[in-house]
Structures are given as structure tokens and as C-alpha cells.
């Protein structure tokens, strides 16, 4: 069963809102290179563990990432690697905007 247009746009909004933070964009970028444990992401982002965990929770609830527990560590992965194509598109818009400004 297909969703109606309004439900589809609400689903898109949820995903886009989940990405609308620089730390979460950094997490997505890092996960596009491969799995990362929470400890690596905490070190990379420079925030405390609870803040990074909140960012990861938002991304997970939006369906962008999933986790896997191994012993005492939790590893995160991108659910759909095609998100990198979306990021490339955004970077193209930024380049176009910069060209117009010069």
C-alpha cells in the first residue's frame, strides 16, 4: 500500500530534520566510510558521550543508521549508503552558490 503525498512529505521531513545538525552530518559522513563505535564518534565530534548518543538516537529513529552491539561496544552503520549521493548533491548546490557570489 502506498502512502499518500502528505504522509510521504512528512516522512521526508523527519529524515531531513534528523540530518539538520552539523554533528549529525559529520556522523553520516564518517559512517559513509565504514562502521564506527560510539567511542570513535565521541572523540571525533568532541562532545560528551550523552550528547553524541542523543545525535545517534535521532539518526537511528529516522532510519538513517542502525547499531550492532559487540561485547561492551556499540557500532553504528549507515542503513542506506545512497545518502552519500544526497550529500554530494548538497555540495554541488553549495559550489553553484559560491560561483554566483563571486
Amino acid at each position: 500500500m502506498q502512502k499518500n503525498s502528505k504522509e510521504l512529505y512528512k516522512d521526508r521531513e523527519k529524515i531531513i530534520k534528523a540530518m539538520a545538525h552539523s554533528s549529525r552530518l559529520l556522523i553520516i559522513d564518517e559512517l559513509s566510510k565504514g562502521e564506527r563505535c560510539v567511542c570513535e564518534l565521541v572523540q571525533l565530534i568532541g562532545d560528551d558521550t550523552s550528547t553524541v548518543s542523543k545525535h545517534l538516537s535521532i539518526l537511528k529513529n529516522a532510519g538513517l543508521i542502525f547499531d550492532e552491539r559487540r561485547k561492551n561496544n556499540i557500532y553504528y552503520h549507515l542503513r542506506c549508503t545512497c545518502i552519500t549521493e544526497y550529500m554530494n548533491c548538497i555540495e554541488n548546490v553549495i559550489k553553484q552558490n559560491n560561483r554566483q557570489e563571486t
Side-chain angles (χ1 to χ4, degrees), residues 1-101:
M1 177 166 36
Q2 286 191 338
K3 295 183 175 190
N4 68 38
S5 293
K6 190 168 188 168
E7 289 172 332
L8 177 61
Y9 288 115
K10 286 288 185 187
D11 288 345
R12 288 178 181 177
E13 175 186 31
K14 180 181 177 181
I15 292 167
I16 291 169
K17 279 185 176 182
M19 294 188 308
H21 191 283
S22 59
S23 292
R24 294 192 288 268
L25 291 171
L26 177 57
I27 290 169
I28 291 170
D29 190 46
E30 275 304 302
L31 294 180
S32 73
K33 300 171 189 170
E35 71 178 18
R36 298 286 185 266
C37 73
V38 174
C39 56
E40 291 173 305
L41 295 170
V42 166
Q43 187 175 10
L44 179 73
I45 294 170
D47 283 335
D48 58 77
T49 303
S50 63
T51 301
V52 173
S53 293
K54 179 67 176 170
H55 289 308
L56 291 165
S57 175
I58 291 168
L59 292 170
K60 185 177 175 183
N61 288 336
L64 291 165
I65 64 173
F66 69 97
D67 61 2
E68 177 184 350
R69 182 175 291 277
R70 290 189 222 141
K71 297 185 181 180
N72 294 332
N73 290 317
I74 300 175
Y75 290 85
Y76 287 87
H77 309 261
L78 282 182
R79 184 170 298 283
C80 297
T81 56
C82 63
I83 197 71
T84 58
E85 294 171 32
Y86 179 72
M87 296 301 197
N88 289 336
C89 181
I90 291 171
E91 288 176 20
N92 285 335
V93 171
I94 292 168
K95 289 175 187 174
Q96 289 295 323
N97 288 344
N98 288 340
R99 286 184 193 139
Q100 288 179 350
E101 291 176 4

